[in-house]
Amino acid sequence: MEVLFKNKKTPVNIQIKENELLNDFVVVDSNMNEVNTKDIKGNKLILTVPSVDTRVCSIELSKFIELLKEEDIQVITVSMDLPFALERWCQANANHMIVASDYRYRDFANKIGFMMPEIGLFARGVVLVDSKGIIQYIELVENVHNEPNYQKILEEIKQLKN
């Protein structure tokens, strides 16, 4: 698959498929602590973003905070940002999600994908995982300057409840 980044198509590897078990991965949170997804119970919405320091990424994360505040779902945002940038973003926003970096191990990039290898950043993407660890929905945004399909994601989250 490819996404548009700075008017150029960039290849993106995706290592996962819907209806498969999500591979556990280890990332680092904004306090430099390791976060292992096997320790996060319940339904999960995993967001990949190029950088929390960009306008579109910040808008997207803020919208998800607002849209999902009533939902029983754990939101995990993964980027290649350093934990210091993640902490700065958390301090500036009413954050109710896990913000994590894959800079240290590249475990998410290797096991899950969404990496744009020629620039070393993640594409904008969404992975919805049910409480059993099964991937229910995957979205790769074709232009990293666009936001994901919030309505479709909310519909998929509601399907988890049925």
Side-chain angles (χ1 to χ4, degrees):
M1 299 183 84
E2 293 183 328
V3 298
L4 186 64
F5 181 79
K6 294 199 177 196
N7 297 320
K8 180 181 174 191
K9 286 285 191 175
T10 303
V12 176
N13 64 335
I14 297 182
Q15 306 293 328
I16 57 174
K17 294 181 182 161
E18 290 180 4
N19 300 313
E20 289 184 352
L21 187 65
L22 179 75
N23 295 321
D24 291 327
F25 57 88
V26 177
V27 288
V28 178
D29 71 12
S30 62
N31 295 311
M32 302 284 288
N33 299 314
E34 287 186 358
V35 175
N36 190 321
T37 51
K38 72 178 178 186
D39 299 328
I40 301 171
K41 305 301 180 208
N43 298 324
K44 296 178 260 314
L45 184 68
I46 302 168
L47 311 172
T48 59
V49 297
S51 175
V52 296
D53 283 332
T54 65
R55 184 184 68 78
V56 176
C57 294
S58 189
I59 289 169
E60 173 189 347
L61 299 182
S62 295
K63 280 187 182 178
F64 273 117
I65 289 170
E66 184 61 29
L67 289 170
L68 300 175
K69 65 183 175 185
E70 303 296 323
E71 299 293 336
D72 182 24
I73 192 160
Q74 181 64 62
V75 181
I76 307 160
T77 300
V78 183
S79 72
M80 294 303 287
D81 288 313
L82 291 175
F84 316 109
L86 299 175
E87 179 61 21
R88 183 176 61 247
W89 188 88
C90 289
Q91 294 298 322
N93 297 275
N95 181 34
H96 305 294
M97 63 178 68
I98 297 170
V99 290
S101 175
D102 200 31
Y103 89 98
R104 185 182 290 166
Y105 304 118
R106 307 261 193 293
D107 198 36
F108 183 93
N110 292 327
K111 292 179 179 175
I112 311 301
F114 285 85
M115 177 64 77
M116 297 181 289
E118 64 189 41
I119 57 174
L121 298 174
F122 287 117
R124 188 174 316 287
V126 177
V127 180
L128 180 61
V129 183
D130 69 16
S131 61
K132 295 177 184 161
I134 306 298
I135 300 165
Q136 298 298 318
Y137 176 75
I138 300 171
E139 178 182 343
L140 175 65
V141 179
E142 291 184 25
N143 183 332
V144 295
H145 303 290
N146 296 338
E147 297 172 57
N149 185 339
Y150 299 109
Q151 188 60 41
K152 175 69 174 158
I153 295 162
L154 287 173
E155 289 170 10
E156 293 292 331
I157 290 170
K158 290 186 187 328
Q159 289 296 317
L160 289 179
K161 296 178 182 178
N162 296 336

